[in-house]
Amino acid sequence: MNAPSYDTDVLVVGAGPAGVAAAVMAASLNLRTMVLEAGPVGGKLHRISSLENVPGSWSTGPQLAEALAADLERLEKAGRCTVVEGLAAKTSGHDDRAELALDDGRVLTAEFIVVATGVTDLAPADAEWITASPDFFAPPLWRATPQELTGRTYVLGGDRPLGTWLRAHPKVTTTLHVLCPPADTYKAAEVEDDNRVRLVPVSHAAITKPTYGGGWTVTVNDQDGTKTIYAAMSVLNNLGNKPAALGGLVSGEDGYCPPRQQHRRIRIAGDLRSARYQRVATAQGSGAEAVLAYYYDTALPGGGGIR
Ligand SMILES: Cc1cc2nc3c(=O)[nH]c(=O)nc-3n(C[C@H](O)[C@H](O)[C@H](O)COP(=O)(O)OP(=O)(O)OC[C@H]3O[C@@H](n4cnc5c(N)ncnc54)[C@H](O)[C@@H]3O)c2cc1C
């Protein structure tokens, strides 16, 4: 029987910190490497306006993203990696190969696939504690510039980008009124002493258009059931995220994809693994580790074969 022919040995889905680490590791081991990415190389790094906890002298995420893009470009030029643009839809593992179906109908095959698609933004419609007018749209807090915050500003949710945004804009004096459901209390704790933040504990918030004027009316039920009505000039989204899982992956009740529960030819790396490890350095470590596990199992002469 002929050996199966694949488009590539290792197919990496997603070029955030986890996917790039996987690709760099695979290329350095002389494995044929392909990276599929739907957007710019760097993933969520593009949102980190102030970066402190990553090895190296990076002070912002975009600086590191640029370095990762240069790394992939260098590998492409050396013929050790191919970067393909596209949106992955579904992955599947088979006895002799792993497959990835793209939303445009293309299908890529590999001996082994690393899925590192991270997480995607939650919208107000995803949050049980919010009801909103159909025309309501909340721009993301992480993208807001201080100049845009004119008038009373409300923030939906106390997710971690709040702390990042405040650190990135130390001179801003605007008060952010942060609607904080019980599940976000522990995340908002890091900013509770910042006098530019007013945490508003909520059990429910309704957002409607005011009868007169611009902005939004925000009706808040606090955690004791007391109702208060606020007038907001702007409302920003800081609700957090949900796993960007592909079709065909095994996921838990929370939507994350436990690495050990997938087909033996499919590994999960980075933020998609669990809400617990969402940091650049752990994402990079897991990307490299996924490829090393494959290498020692299979590609290395004498390896035990993909288990
Ligand atoms: C505002 C903010 C601030 C943060 N601050 C810090 C910090 O200070 N320190 C820190 O350590 N961490 C921080 N983080 C977390 C850090 O950014 C993540 O842990 C890290 O980026 C995860 O890397 P990843 O590769 O798993 O996922 P991502 O960075 O999310 O990359 C996933 C990639 O997959 C691509 N993708 C997704 N779906 C598909 C698909 N279907 N097909 C093709 N491509 C797809 C995306 O376009 C993206 O490029 C912050 C995150 C945010 C949002």
Side-chain angles (χ1 to χ4, degrees):
M1 202 170 83
N2 291 336
S5 67
Y6 312 109
D7 293 320
T8 184
D9 294 331
V10 178
L11 172 58
V12 179
V13 191
V20 174
V24 168
M25 178 60 80
S28 75
L29 294 170
N30 274 333
L31 299 167
R32 287 185 305 147
T33 306
M34 187 183 283
V35 179
L36 179 88
E37 170 56 58
V41 170
K44 297 287 181 306
L45 291 176
H46 292 280
R47 302 186 178 191
I48 308 180
S49 41
S50 166
L51 186 62
E52 288 168 354
N53 58 345
V54 173
S57 53
W58 316 105
S59 53
T60 71
Q63 284 174 358
L64 177 55
E66 204 178 306
L68 298 187
D71 240 2
L72 285 188
E73 215 177 300
R74 179 178 56 78
L75 292 172
E76 270 198 292
K77 281 196 181 133
R80 306 175 82 160
C81 174
T82 312
V83 180
V84 176
E85 203 182 310
L87 185 69
K90 188 176 174 194
T91 184
S92 55
H94 305 268
D95 284 350
D96 61 346
R97 70 194 186 288
E99 268 186 20
L100 185 76
L102 277 62
D103 77 330
D104 58 9
R106 280 179 288 169
V107 175
L108 298 170
T109 58
E111 183 164 10
F112 171 70
I113 293 181
V114 179
V115 183
T117 46
V119 293
T120 187
D121 293 337
L122 282 169
D126 296 314
E128 281 175 6
W129 59 276
I130 299 174
T131 48
S133 309
D135 59 345
F136 174 66
F137 170 73
L141 168 68
W142 66 267
R143 192 179 274 171
T145 62
Q147 300 72 28
E148 285 164 353
L149 305 189
T150 52
R152 208 172 162 105
T153 299
Y154 282 77
V155 176
L156 300 177
D159 201 35
R160 293 211 169 87
L162 179 59
T164 307
W165 194 90
L166 291 163
R167 283 193 294 279
H169 302 291
K171 295 197 177 131
V172 166
T173 53
T174 313
T175 302
L176 299 178
H177 300 263
V178 180
L179 304 188
C180 195
D184 283 4
T185 311
Y186 78 100
K187 294 186 243 174
E190 69 171 20
V191 297
E192 67 190 1
D193 294 333
D194 191 314
N195 59 17
R196 299 169 293 167
V197 173
R198 192 178 142 249
L199 293 177
V200 184
V202 296
S203 60
H204 184 264
I207 301 161
T208 50
K209 271 251 170 260
T211 316
Y212 303 103
W216 298 96
T217 299
V218 182
T219 306
V220 167
N221 283 45
D222 73 14
Q223 288 164 13
D224 302 323
T226 309
K227 188 192 272 190
T228 314
I229 300 177
Y230 301 102
M233 267 325 284
S234 54
V235 180
L236 300 170
N237 181 352
N238 185 45
L239 289 168
N241 46 53
K242 58 184 176 187
L246 302 179
L249 294 175
V250 178
S251 49
E253 272 179 19
D254 57 3
Y256 285 93
C257 302
R260 289 180 185 281
Q261 292 177 24
Q262 311 303 320
H263 188 276
R264 66 187 192 282
R265 292 185 183 275
I266 296 172
R267 293 262 171 163
I268 307 294
D271 281 9
L272 183 60
R273 289 171 300 161
S274 156
R276 283 166 56 207
Y277 313 111
Q278 300 194 343
R279 285 284 175 264
V280 173
T282 61
Q284 290 175 316
S286 69
E289 185 190 326
V291 174
L292 277 175
Y294 159 77
Y295 177 72
Y296 284 112
D297 269 357
T298 301
L300 191 68
I306 285 185
R307 287 191 280 268

